[in-house]
């Protein structure tokens, strides 16, 4: 099988309709990811763990109660009288911490705060998934339209090659000229195969984000935009940054970490304060040989209650070190906030710069495409009259394809930038 036959076979395989493929909108992708994305589901499990920790912290206000029993057997082989004895004790013991330096109260607050932080982290992961899906979605649509451009290029170069064959057979051009135009036709077919491969690769990236299996095939819903939408005026950049910082869930989580650090400091200081606990118990015991079991249990019944005050004096700098670590964590959290604010400013500004640049390229590319189309038509007519050579014809053809791609790329980059700016302003993405 020669190279031309291989390319033809690949084209037939790529152009075959996909059976059973589902059509997904951007909203469908987001909804599916919300339920199936593994990273998101793991984050939700972290939320549940935080809720469990909070319930455990609240339970520290409740008293403890346990039952204990001990049994012993003693053998005294050289004693007079009974050489063996048996003893047992039974007791219910209760304890309650009256005060522990505020550690209990602050631990509850810290765990409640952690549940909020984990909830914000889950939301932030979902926001990242939404933006990743948007970019992959646009890449797929771009790749799909690129296929259309190459399909038209193949039709055009095929017609040019057929016309050149007729001119060669009529003796108006040389076989070398025909070979050049036929090579252009083969190159366009090869480019079409590559474009279809890129399209499949982009769809695979989407399936990976959605955690879809290898046996699932999807098609995306097409989105159309007018030139007015592509060139729409952008909102104020400074206002967009303020809105981005106000709606950013990661920044909100970091701000809660500051509050959490203050609670960590209070918890650490509590370990150096006195502690007061209340203890109570009921117990009895039995020993054999001796009186009967029931009588012994009754006579040995005892009740106790007491308060224990513990005052730490030296604890190997554990309290001081814990407080120092908590203060360092607070400073680190503040640096994280500063870093995130700088990162948001750079992200917003970059999207504005890229979007404005893409809109300018779109305007220039539209004019370039008009010129390329006119030039290609005139060059084709001149070639039919024998007024231009094949090199000029191929140049006009390639300039047309390049202009179409430049316009297409500028359109998608401009619309992606607009949607990303919209997302950082409103935390939502709308696609028609």
């Amino acid at each position: 099988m020669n190279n031309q036959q291989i390319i033809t076979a690949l084209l037939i395989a790529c152009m075959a309709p996909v059976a059973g493929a589902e059509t997904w909108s951007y909203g469908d992708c987001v909804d599916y990811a919300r339920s199936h994305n593994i990273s998101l589901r793991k984050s939700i499990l972290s939320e549940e763990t935080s809720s469990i920790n909070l319930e455990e912290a609240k339970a520290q206000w409740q008293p403890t109660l346990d039952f204990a029993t001990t049994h012993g057997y003693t053998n005294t082989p050289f004693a007079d009288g009974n050489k063996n004895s048996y003893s047992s004790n039974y007791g219910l013991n209760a304890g309650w911490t009256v005060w522990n330096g505020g550690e209990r109260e602050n631990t509850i607050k810290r765990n409640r705060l952690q549940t909020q932080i984990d909830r914000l982290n889950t939301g932030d992961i979902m926001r990242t998934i939404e933006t990743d899906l948007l970019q992959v979605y646009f890449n797929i649509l771009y790749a799909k339209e690129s296929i259309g451009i190459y399909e038209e290029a193949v039709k055009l170069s095929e017609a040019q090659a057929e016309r050149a064959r007729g001119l060669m057979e009529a003796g108006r051009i040389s076989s070398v000229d025909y070979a050049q135009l036929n090579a252009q036709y083969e190159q366009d077919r090869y480019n079409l195969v590559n474009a279809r491969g890129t399209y499949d690769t982009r769809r695979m990236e989407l399936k990976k984000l959605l955690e879809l299996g290898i046996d699932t095939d999807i098609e995306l819903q097409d989105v159309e935009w007018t030139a007015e939408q592509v060139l729409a005026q952008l909102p104020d950049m400074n206002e967009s940054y303020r809105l981005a910082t106000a709606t950013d869930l990661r920044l909100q989580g970091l701000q809660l970490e500051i509050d959490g650090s203050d609670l960590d400091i209070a918890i650490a200081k509590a370990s150096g304060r006195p502690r007061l606990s209340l203890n109570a118990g009921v117990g009895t015991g039995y020993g054999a040989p001796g009186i009967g079991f029931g009588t012994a249990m009754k006579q040995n019944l005892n009740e106790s209650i007491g308060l224990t005050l513990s005052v730490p004096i030296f604890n190997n700098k554990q309290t001081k070190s814990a407080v120092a670590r908590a203060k360092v964590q607070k400073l680190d959290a503040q640096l994280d906030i500063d870093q995130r604010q700088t990162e948001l400013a750079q992200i917003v500004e970059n999207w504005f710069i890229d979007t404005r640049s893409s809109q300018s390229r779109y305007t220039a590319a539209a004019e370039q495409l008009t010129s390329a189309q006119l030039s290609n038509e005139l060059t084709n007519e001149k070639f039919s009259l024998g007024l231009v050579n094949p090199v000029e014809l191929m140049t006009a053809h390639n300039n047309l394809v390049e202009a179409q791609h430049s316009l297409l790329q500028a359109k998608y980059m401009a619309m992606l930038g607009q949607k990303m700016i919209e997302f950082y302003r409103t935390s939502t993405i709308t696609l028609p």
Side-chain angles (χ1 to χ4, degrees):
M1 182 178 290
N2 57 35
N3 292 337
Q4 182 173 349
Q5 290 174 320
I6 293 174
I7 294 175
T8 301
L10 288 172
L11 277 171
I12 293 173
C14 291
M15 296 173 67
V18 179
E22 300 179 33
T23 301
W24 293 54
S25 67
Y26 173 73
D28 294 333
C29 295
V30 171
D31 291 339
Y32 188 89
R34 187 174 284 110
S35 301
H36 296 82
N37 184 269
I38 292 177
S39 297
L40 188 65
R41 290 162 66 186
K42 284 187 174 182
S43 184
I44 293 173
L45 291 178
S46 296
E47 283 187 54
E48 294 181 7
T49 300
S50 295
S51 297
I52 294 171
N53 292 338
L54 175 59
E55 293 303 316
E56 182 183 19
K58 290 179 179 179
Q60 300 308 305
W61 279 104
Q62 301 172 8
T64 61
L65 178 65
D66 64 82
F67 170 77
T69 179
T70 59
H71 299 265
Y73 176 80
T74 304
N75 178 35
T76 54
F78 303 106
D80 295 332
N82 293 322
K83 301 182 184 301
N84 302 308
S85 62
Y86 164 80
S87 64
S88 61
N89 292 285
Y90 308 86
L92 282 174
N93 302 294
W96 182 59
T97 301
V98 180
W99 193 68
N100 61 351
E103 179 180 353
R104 182 170 45 194
E105 298 89 333
N106 289 317
T107 300
I108 293 174
K109 294 178 182 178
R110 185 65 175 92
N111 280 278
R112 184 179 291 114
L113 199 64
Q114 189 61 47
T115 60
Q116 298 176 25
I117 293 172
D118 288 341
R119 192 175 300 115
L120 289 172
N121 287 340
T122 299
D124 183 62
I125 291 175
M126 188 63 223
R127 283 166 60 94
T128 301
I129 292 173
E130 288 183 57
T131 54
D132 289 346
L133 283 174
L134 181 68
Q135 295 183 60
V136 173
Y137 197 95
F138 272 48
N139 285 338
I140 293 175
L141 295 181
Y142 171 76
K144 186 176 181 180
E145 287 199 47
S146 293
I147 292 173
I149 291 175
Y150 281 118
E151 286 176 342
E152 291 299 320
V154 168
K155 292 179 182 177
L156 182 58
S157 58
E158 182 182 18
Q160 291 172 343
E162 289 298 323
R163 188 185 305 118
R165 179 191 292 273
L167 293 174
M168 181 189 67
E169 292 174 350
R172 297 177 58 184
I173 64 173
S174 67
S175 59
V176 174
D177 292 338
Y178 165 70
Q180 288 178 321
L181 291 175
N182 192 63
Q184 177 66 60
Y185 168 54
E186 298 296 341
Q187 181 63 47
D188 286 341
R189 295 173 69 193
Y190 179 78
N191 292 338
L192 177 57
V193 171
N194 281 341
R196 291 186 179 278
T198 300
Y199 176 65
D200 290 337
T201 300
R202 297 291 177 261
R203 287 200 302 170
M204 182 184 67
E205 293 173 357
L206 178 62
K207 289 168 63 176
K208 181 179 179 180
L209 274 175
L210 296 177
E211 309 292 349
L212 290 171
I214 193 173
D215 57 340
T216 304
D217 200 359
I218 62 175
E219 294 289 339
L220 297 187
Q221 179 178 310
D222 293 331
V223 182
E224 298 293 337
W225 293 290
T226 64
E228 290 76 14
Q229 289 175 304
V230 175
L231 299 175
Q233 184 176 0
L234 301 181
D236 181 71
M237 184 171 65
N238 291 329
E239 180 193 31
S240 298
Y241 169 68
R242 289 194 297 271
L243 291 173
T245 55
T247 58
D248 187 65
L249 297 183
R250 190 179 309 176
L251 192 58
Q252 294 175 23
L254 291 173
Q255 289 169 342
L256 289 181
E257 289 286 2
I258 293 289
D259 299 334
S261 297
D262 289 332
L263 291 172
D264 289 336
I265 293 173
I267 292 171
K269 288 181 177 179
S271 63
R273 295 172 181 160
R275 294 173 179 246
L276 183 63
S277 58
L278 175 65
N279 303 287
V282 177
T284 186
Y286 168 75
I291 60 178
F293 179 80
T295 302
M297 293 288 285
K298 181 178 180 181
Q299 291 181 354
N300 292 328
L301 180 66
N302 63 85
E303 300 170 340
S304 64
I305 187 170
L307 282 173
T308 300
L309 177 64
S310 174
V311 181
I313 299 176
F314 297 109
N315 62 354
N316 304 110
K317 288 189 176 182
Q318 293 181 7
T319 300
K320 186 176 181 179
S321 298
V323 172
R325 280 194 295 267
K327 289 181 177 179
V328 170
Q329 290 175 357
K330 182 178 180 179
L331 293 175
D332 186 63
Q334 184 59 59
L335 290 176
D336 287 338
I337 289 177
D338 296 339
Q339 184 179 28
R340 180 57 180 170
Q341 289 174 336
T342 302
E343 182 182 351
L344 277 176
Q346 293 174 345
I347 290 173
V348 171
E349 185 176 8
N350 284 338
W351 279 117
F352 268 87
I353 293 173
D354 291 345
T355 305
R356 287 169 179 163
S357 176
S358 298
Q359 288 177 326
S360 298
R361 290 200 304 270
Y362 180 83
T363 301
E367 296 175 356
Q368 181 185 16
L369 178 59
T370 301
S371 300
Q373 288 173 332
L374 180 59
S375 175
N376 186 66
E377 292 174 2
L378 293 175
T379 304
N380 269 278
E381 293 176 1
K382 289 181 180 180
F383 179 77
S384 298
L385 298 174
L387 300 178
V388 297
N389 57 44
V391 174
E392 293 175 295
L393 182 63
M394 289 187 295
T395 300
H397 172 77
N398 290 330
N399 287 341
L400 175 60
V401 174
E402 183 179 352
Q404 290 173 326
H405 274 290
S406 295
L407 182 66
L408 183 64
Q409 185 181 48
K411 178 182 76 171
Y412 275 101
M413 287 300 299
M415 291 310 304
L416 175 61
Q418 290 184 40
K419 294 302 175 182
M420 290 299 296
I421 292 172
E422 173 190 345
F423 176 77
Y424 281 105
R425 288 173 60 87
T426 66
S427 298
T428 57
I429 297 174
T430 56
L431 286 181

